[in-house]
């Protein structure tokens, strides 16, 4: 297991969050450290799976698709983890999380329309043993979508 992120690590992540294409040299200049320090820390954080640098889809640009939130209730609480892991294997799901509250699991995907959502849920989620029921909703207008949602707090 890797070490926890220190203050400098968190500052580097904060600089990368709005645009991961920013150069190590620019980050180093802004933080008052060497470019090698930034490069080494980014490499370590990636190797230890503390960060992942990736492209993020801008959902505002999809005119023919909607973001679908699929809330899943399981039959028994001891099945939650296994069902969540099974859902995480479904390639179309971009997010799967175990939740506290009314539902046990939340899964998020993109769909073309309500018919597409219904087919997807019935063929990919309801068929998993232990799924008691699902409830779905579609996101229609997004007033704020912060791509840095996963930034480190603290």
């Amino acid at each position: 297991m890797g070490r926890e992120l220190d203050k400098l690590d968190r500052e580097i992540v904060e600089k990368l969050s709005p645009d991961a294409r920013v150069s190590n040299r620019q980050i180093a200049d802004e933080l008052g450290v060497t470019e090698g320090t930034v490069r080494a820390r980014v490499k370590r954080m990636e190797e230890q799976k503390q960060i992942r640098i990736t492209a993020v889809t801008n959902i505002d640009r999809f005119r023919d698709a909607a973001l679908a939130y699929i809330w899943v209730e399981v039959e028994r609480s001891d099945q939650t983890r296994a069902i969540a892991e099974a859902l995480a294997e479904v390639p179309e799901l971009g997010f799967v999380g175990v939740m506290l509250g009314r539902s046990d699991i939340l899964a998020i995907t993109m769909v073309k329309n309500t018919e597409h959502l219904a087919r997807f849920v019935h063929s990919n989620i309801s068929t998993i043993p232990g799924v008691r029921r699902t409830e779905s909703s579609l996101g229609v207008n997004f007033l704020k979508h912060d791509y840095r949602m996963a930034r480190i707090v603290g």
Side-chain angles (χ1 to χ4, degrees), residues 55-81:
V56 178
T57 305
N58 185 349
I59 62 172
D60 298 333
R61 300 290 182 208
F62 286 95
R63 299 286 175 229
D64 61 342
L67 201 57
Y69 300 84
I70 306 163
W71 301 92
V72 180
E73 287 184 27
V74 301
E75 290 176 357
R76 294 187 336 264
S77 61
D78 64 346
Q79 297 173 301
T80 303
R81 184 72 182 183

Side-chain angles (χ1 to χ4, degrees), residues 105-120:
I105 300 167
L106 171 61
I108 303 175
T109 190
M110 297 287 286
V111 295
K112 295 176 185 171
N113 52 41
T114 55
E115 182 182 333
H116 181 216
L117 173 59
R119 278 196 321 270
F120 178 78

Side-chain angles (χ1 to χ4, degrees), residues 138-150:
L138 294 174
V140 291
N141 289 351
F142 297 96
L143 304 178
K144 179 178 182 180
H145 181 81
D146 188 345
Y147 302 105
R148 300 170 300 149
M149 264 186 350

